[in-house]
């Protein structure tokens, strides 16, 4: 067997593989001999079928299968030994005059080679790194929400601002019939508030959904409509009031503090606000990091210039799917995937250059933290080490979970690297301002 490479340019090459009869004859003969021993052909005793008949019936299929195995193994070994970084997979070049009756065979494969390039993390223009803070308004609102949550519910006959209403929204045309409880704080405008305030238990009122609530997303819960329907929904709904309740706020005392944070960690309103601020800002770090990762990714893709073997990749896309694509379809698919491919190459280069790796021990610790966080959300704030270890074992036995967690951990490592090496400018903002600035 002989393998040679023809260099076309920096991004394209052709590999030629020559296979002779000596490369495959022994294996083909061994397989055919085994077939002869096992073949059940009418008119012949088992194990006594003439070899000529076996060759006639199975010879071509065995030859093709064995040559293809040799070809694939040789090609994979060659790419590994030559340390060729290829994009996609080698594409066989069509041979119109190929003859399986011959004893020696020659195959050619097109290769798309990965470009050589450098990545500069520190650009001229600084990228904004948001430091999201919990401002006084957010903290005070959270304190009030806690006091409401742990306060007493008091039934009422009349409706006033701040009350909680339980009732049913209906609309026959849209098949809406949803019983729900909501706070009047969600309702927008004095005119709508006055309509609710005029109600007593058992009363009904017709309302227009347009400008009914301060945030259209609240219509999803009130009416049980989809996210898309909630935007710009302009219909009339009937609301029938069933109950009016108000909440007597819980006192900020040690009993409440211990319910929220067992162990005496909070002993005053100031401690509570400090704890709320600390916990909120820990959660904000994840959003800030994700924004930074997105922005650095965008910067790197826009500013790291290199060519791709686009003609090869389009041909590869065209011929390796479930069904062949037209030239136009292949071009369209390539345009959709080009940006993602560029970042994959850039990210791979960064990981290699900075020797970023995910060890099993790191992955295990990361999984523990992830599981403890999930358990805390369901009220299990102090799980035993044994329980956590058992869950981690189950999670890490699932290859899809291992892949997902490994990608998350590598993203954290990349963010840490960007914080150290990229040209960043820190901007301190409240969460409300962050949402406005980033998401509009």
């Amino acid at each position: 067997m002989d393998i040679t490479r023809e260099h076309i340019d920096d991004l394209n090459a052709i590999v030629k593989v020559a296979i002779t009869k000596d490369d495959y004859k022994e294996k083909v003969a061994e397989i055919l001999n085994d077939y002869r021993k096992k073949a059940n052909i009418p008119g012949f005793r088992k194990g006594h079928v003439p070899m000529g008949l076996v060759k006639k019936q199975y010879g071509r299929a065995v030859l093709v299968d064995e040559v293809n195995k040799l070809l694939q193994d040789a090609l994979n070994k060659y790419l590994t030994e030559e340390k060729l970084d290829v994009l996609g997979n080698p594409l066989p070049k069509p041979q119109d005059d190929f003859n399986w009756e011959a004893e020696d065979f020659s195959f050619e494969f097109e290769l798309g080679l990965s470009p050589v390039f450098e990545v500069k993390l520190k650009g001229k223009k600084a990228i904004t790194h948001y430091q999201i803070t919990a401002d006084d308004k957010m903290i005070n609102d959270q304190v009030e929400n806690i006091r409401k949550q742990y306060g007493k519910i008091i039934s009422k006959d009349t409706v006033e601002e701040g009350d909680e209403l339980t009732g049913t929204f209906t609309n026959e045309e849209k098949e809406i019939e949803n019983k729900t409880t909501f706070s009047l704080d969600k309702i927008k405008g004095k005119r709508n508030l006055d309509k609710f305030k005029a109600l007593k238990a058992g009363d009904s009122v017709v309302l227009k959904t347009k400008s009914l609530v301060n945030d259209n997303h609240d219509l999803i819960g009130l009416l049980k409509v989809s996210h898309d329907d909630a935007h710009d929904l302009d219909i009339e709904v009937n609301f029938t009031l069933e109950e009016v309740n108000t909440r007597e706020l819980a006192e900020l005392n040690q009993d409440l503090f211990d319910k929220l944070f067992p162990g005496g960690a909070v002993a005053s309103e100031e401690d509570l606000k400090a704890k709320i601020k600390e916990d909120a800002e820990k959660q904000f770090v994840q959003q800030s990091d994700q924004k930074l990762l997105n922005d650095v990714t965008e910067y790197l893709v826009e500013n790291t210039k290199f060519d791709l073997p686009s003609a090869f990749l389009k041909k590869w896309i065209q011929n390796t799917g479930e069904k062949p694509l037209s030239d136009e379809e292949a071009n369209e698919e390539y345009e959709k995937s080009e940006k993602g491919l560029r970042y994959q190459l850039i990210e791979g280069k960064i990981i290699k250059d900075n020797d970023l790796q995910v060890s099993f021990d790191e992955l295990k610790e990361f999984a523990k933290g992830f599981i403890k966080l999930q358990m805390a959300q369901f009220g299990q704030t102090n799980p035993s080490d044994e329980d956590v270890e058992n869950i981690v074992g189950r999670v890490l036995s699932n290859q899809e979970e291992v892949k997902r967690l490994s990608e998350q951990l590598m993203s954290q490592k990349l963010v840490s690297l960007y914080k150290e090496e990229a040209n960043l400018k820190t901007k301190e903002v409240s969460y409300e301002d962050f949402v406005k600035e980033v998401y509009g």
Side-chain angles (χ1 to χ4, degrees):
M1 187 183 301
D2 185 42
I3 302 180
T4 58
R5 182 168 83 247
E6 179 185 346
H7 180 80
I8 305 300
D9 55 41
D10 290 341
L11 298 173
N12 296 275
I14 292 177
V15 169
K16 299 179 181 180
V17 183
I19 295 178
T20 67
K21 185 177 181 180
D22 288 340
D23 295 319
Y24 62 80
K25 65 180 182 180
E26 288 186 10
K27 188 64 177 177
V28 169
E30 179 186 333
I31 294 171
L32 290 176
N33 193 47
D34 190 54
Y35 276 20
R36 180 172 181 258
K37 293 175 182 177
K38 298 176 180 177
N40 285 313
I41 297 178
F44 299 95
R45 285 183 298 151
K46 188 174 182 179
H48 289 77
V49 179
M51 180 57 79
L53 187 58
V54 173
K55 286 183 178 179
K56 184 177 180 181
Q57 190 159 352
Y58 302 109
R60 171 66 62 82
V62 171
L63 172 67
V64 171
D65 187 52
E66 194 55 37
V67 168
N68 279 329
K69 286 179 182 176
L70 281 171
L71 187 60
Q72 197 61 53
D73 290 345
L75 195 56
N76 289 338
K77 185 178 179 182
Y78 177 80
L79 295 178
T80 301
E81 290 178 347
E82 294 294 312
K83 297 180 180 178
L84 291 177
D85 194 359
V86 299
L87 301 179
N89 293 314
L91 276 178
K93 292 190 70 174
Q95 298 183 62
D96 295 333
D97 59 347
F98 191 84
N99 180 18
W100 282 106
E101 297 294 335
E103 293 186 341
D104 299 335
F105 308 104
S106 180
F107 303 90
E108 294 186 358
F109 294 86
E110 295 180 61
L111 302 183
L113 304 178
S114 183
V116 176
F117 59 92
E118 295 299 321
V119 179
K120 294 182 180 179
L121 290 178
K122 196 176 288 293
K124 293 180 180 179
K125 186 178 179 181
I127 297 171
T128 300
H129 177 211
Y130 292 94
Q131 183 178 333
I132 309 171
T133 61
D135 59 13
D136 290 342
K137 181 180 182 302
M138 170 178 279
I139 295 169
N140 290 332
D141 286 347
Q142 184 62 21
V143 170
E144 185 170 353
N145 288 336
I146 289 171
R147 294 183 70 189
K148 283 183 178 179
Q149 181 182 348
Y150 287 88
K152 293 180 181 178
I153 297 175
I154 301 172
S155 180
K156 295 179 60 181
D157 294 323
T158 58
V159 179
E160 296 178 285
E161 284 189 42
D163 287 347
E164 290 182 359
L165 278 57
T166 298
T168 302
F169 288 95
T170 58
N171 176 284
E172 189 174 340
E173 182 184 350
K174 290 283 187 179
E175 298 182 343
I176 294 171
E177 185 171 353
N178 186 49
K179 181 176 179 178
T180 184
T181 298
F182 62 96
S183 169
L184 273 185
D185 296 342
K186 294 182 183 293
I187 303 303
K188 181 178 182 179
K190 185 176 182 301
R191 180 178 295 181
N192 287 324
L193 284 170
D194 287 344
K195 289 182 180 179
F196 281 104
K197 288 178 182 179
L199 299 177
K200 293 182 180 179
D203 290 348
S204 297
V205 63
V206 175
L207 303 158
K208 292 185 176 180
T209 57
K210 189 174 183 180
S211 299
L212 176 62
V213 289
N214 293 308
D215 183 347
N216 281 337
H217 291 99
D218 288 331
L219 292 177
I220 298 172
L222 291 180
L223 307 180
K224 277 290 184 289
V225 294
S226 70
H227 180 274
D228 291 339
D229 284 344
H231 286 277
D232 303 318
L233 185 65
D234 189 6
I235 61 173
E236 288 188 342
V237 291
N238 186 78
F239 175 72
T240 302
L241 179 64
E242 297 178 25
E243 295 179 23
V244 184
N245 294 300
T246 190
R247 285 186 182 262
E248 183 180 278
L249 299 183
E251 288 186 34
L252 291 174
N253 54 29
Q254 195 61 49
D255 182 52
L256 177 61
F257 300 150
D258 288 342
K259 287 178 182 176
L260 296 169
F261 303 100
V266 172
S268 66
E269 183 177 350
E270 289 69 29
D271 288 349
L272 176 63
K273 289 183 176 181
K275 187 65 175 170
I276 290 171
K277 181 177 176 67
E278 178 188 350
D279 290 349
E281 291 179 353
K282 280 182 182 176
Q283 294 179 29
F284 295 156
V285 168
Q286 185 177 358
Q287 295 183 59
S288 172
D289 283 354
Q290 186 60 55
K291 173 61 177 168
L292 178 62
L293 184 62
N294 293 344
D295 288 346
V296 174
T297 297
E298 193 69 29
Y299 162 79
L300 291 173
V301 171
E302 293 297 323
N303 292 277
T304 306
K305 303 299 182 183
F306 54 83
D307 292 327
L308 289 170
S310 54
F312 168 83
L313 289 170
K314 289 174 184 178
K315 188 185 295 186
W316 180 73
I317 290 171
Q318 189 171 19
N319 292 285
T320 55
E322 291 183 4
K323 61 178 183 178
L325 302 179
S326 66
D327 290 344
E328 184 178 348
E329 289 171 330
N331 287 337
E332 189 176 321
E333 286 300 314
Y334 176 75
E335 288 174 8
K336 286 180 185 176
S337 60
E338 182 185 1
K339 188 173 181 179
L341 174 58
R342 286 184 177 277
Y343 184 66
Q344 283 181 17
L345 292 171
I346 293 168
E347 185 184 80
K349 175 74 172 170
I350 293 170
I351 290 170
K352 182 179 179 182
D353 287 351
N354 293 277
D355 194 27
L356 300 182
Q357 300 177 24
V358 173
S359 69
F360 180 76
D361 287 342
E362 287 178 316
L363 186 62
K364 189 174 180 180
E365 286 304 309
F366 182 70
K368 282 182 182 179
F370 180 75
I371 288 163
K372 285 179 179 178
L373 184 62
Q374 283 195 319
M375 294 176 79
Q377 291 174 351
F378 290 95
Q380 294 177 267
T381 56
N382 192 27
S384 69
D385 291 341
E386 184 180 356
D387 286 343
V388 173
E389 286 284 350
N390 288 337
I391 297 173
V392 168
R394 290 197 296 272
V395 169
L396 296 185
S397 67
N398 183 318
Q399 290 303 310
E400 287 298 318
E401 283 297 307
V402 169
K403 181 175 181 292
R404 184 177 66 84
L405 290 171
S406 297
E407 289 172 351
Q408 289 181 6
L409 183 51
M410 181 56 73
S411 290
Q412 283 190 5
K413 288 175 176 277
L414 286 168
V415 168
S416 296
L417 177 70
Y418 297 157
K419 287 177 180 178
E420 292 178 7
E421 302 293 338
N423 182 10
L424 306 180
K425 59 179 180 182
T426 301
K427 183 174 183 179
E428 188 174 297
V429 292
S430 68
Y431 181 72
E432 185 177 351
D433 288 341
F434 171 78
V435 171
K436 286 179 182 177
E437 188 166 328
V438 172
Y439 304 107

